[in-house]
Amino acid sequence: MWRKLLSTPHDVPAFVIRAALGGMIWAHGAQKFLGWFGGHGWIDTMRFFTSGLHIPAPLGALAILTEFFGMPLLVLGLCGRVFAAAAATIMVVAVSTIHHRFGFYMNWYTDPNRGEGFEFHLLALAMAIAIMIRGSGAWSVDRLLARDRT
């Protein structure tokens, strides 16, 4: 099972995709966990998740911790398929709980008060699916571990 989970070719595009996806979602995790980059921090984000979205506190905490601590592991390519699946799950939940009601587009220029649509989430979901299918790719810990096991 581990061999199948970790196996990945020396695929430079997979490296680019995993680094971009992990870095992008990590920044959102830093907003939620620490309040960096204009975020609200742990307490306010958890309050919004539990009171506003009615997400159970353990699942909200898991999402924040996955974004902040799991995405650097995705960037490194450690259990890339697992953390890509986690990123995909976070994107699906974000669309289904909030962003679906604002339509497809991000709405930054038409009506910034309208809310952000789900186009970003679809791109992130596609990136995550590519990693789940192909693996972590070149320069990944997964590749090193899989090579050691053979």
Side-chain angles (χ1 to χ4, degrees), residues 4-9 14 17-18 21 74 79-92 124-137 142:
K4 189 167 189 149
L5 184 68
L6 300 177
S7 68
T8 185
I17 291 169
R18 84 165 197 267
L21 178 65
L74 177 61
C79 294
R81 285 184 171 96
V82 172
F83 288 109
T89 302
I90 290 168
M91 292 302 108
V92 168
L125 182 60
M127 294 167 77
I129 291 170
I131 296 166
M132 289 187 292
I133 292 169
R134 192 74 176 153
S136 294
D142 286 355

Side-chain angles (χ1 to χ4, degrees), residues 53-134:
L53 299 177
H54 307 290
I55 294 173
L59 294 179
L62 181 62
I64 294 169
L65 294 173
T66 299
E67 287 183 3
F68 189 74
F69 293 106
M71 293 305 107
L73 298 176
L74 177 61
V75 171
L76 292 173
L78 177 61
C79 294
R81 285 184 171 96
V82 172
F83 288 109
T89 302
I90 290 168
M91 292 302 108
V92 168
V93 170
V95 170
S96 65
T97 58
I98 297 177
H99 298 280
H100 72 279
R101 69 184 93 159
F102 302 118
F104 179 74
Y105 294 105
M106 295 302 284
N107 304 315
W108 290 342
Y109 302 111
T110 55
D111 184 3
N113 297 321
R114 182 174 160 203
E116 296 179 347
F118 56 87
E119 65 181 313
F120 162 84
H121 304 85
L122 287 181
L123 289 172
L125 182 60
M127 294 167 77
I129 291 170
I131 296 166
M132 289 187 292
I133 292 169
R134 192 74 176 153

Side-chain angles (χ1 to χ4, degrees), residues 2-60:
W2 279 106
R3 178 180 284 153
K4 189 167 189 149
L5 184 68
L6 300 177
S7 68
T8 185
H10 183 76
D11 187 357
V12 176
F15 159 73
V16 172
I17 291 169
R18 84 165 197 267
L21 178 65
M24 176 179 58
I25 294 178
W26 176 85
H28 287 271
Q31 289 179 312
K32 294 174 184 83
F33 189 69
L34 300 172
W36 291 359
F37 313 119
H40 298 287
W42 178 271
I43 293 171
D44 288 341
T45 301
M46 285 297 294
R47 184 178 300 122
F48 173 68
F49 280 1
T50 57
S51 299
L53 299 177
H54 307 290
I55 294 173
L59 294 179

